[in-house]
Amino acid sequence: MLIDPSTIPLEDWRPGVKTRMVTSARNGATALCIFEQWVDPGAGAPTHSHTVEEVLTVRAGEAEMWIEARRITVTAGQALLVPAGRKHGFRNSGATMLHVHAVLASPVFEMLPEGASEATRRWER
């Protein structure tokens, strides 16, 4: 199946974050989600976890990313592998737009925000 990301609209994910879901269960994926995010300076993803692995690749800009208590700076061309079940998050630590490419090893996006008792699910069939 051909997927043309330019035909997929951006969604407001949270304040300062726009997301484009490139592939998921919604368009036929059976094993992964691939999505991109554009993040304003200071914005990002709060601490959360997934039941599967995730890879976060910085395409442009600079991000402070964390897994549990470990914090690192990730710049364009670098990626962070997040093991399943680990609490993690990121924020745009630069002065320009952050562009992140994410791959989640599930066709449905599911996350458990830190402190929450129920997971958030998106992009189901």
Side-chain angles (χ1 to χ4, degrees), residues 18-52:
K18 294 198 180 296
T19 300
R20 174 181 290 138
M21 180 56 70
V22 176
T23 193
S24 68
R26 190 174 285 171
N27 64 359
T30 60
L32 50 82
C33 288
I34 298 174
F35 58 99
E36 297 179 90
Q37 295 187 313
W38 290 265
V39 184
D40 292 338
T47 302
H48 62 283
S49 62
H50 307 285
T51 60
V52 296

Side-chain angles (χ1 to χ4, degrees), residues 1 5-6 12-13 19 39 43 49 64 66 75 79 81-82 87 109-111 113-114 121:
M1 165 189 278
S6 69
D12 288 323
W13 181 259
T19 300
V39 184
S49 62
E64 176 187 31
W66 56 89
T75 59
L81 172 62
V82 181
K87 292 179 183 175
F109 180 89
E110 182 174 284
M111 68 177 265
E114 185 174 50
R121 292 175 61 94

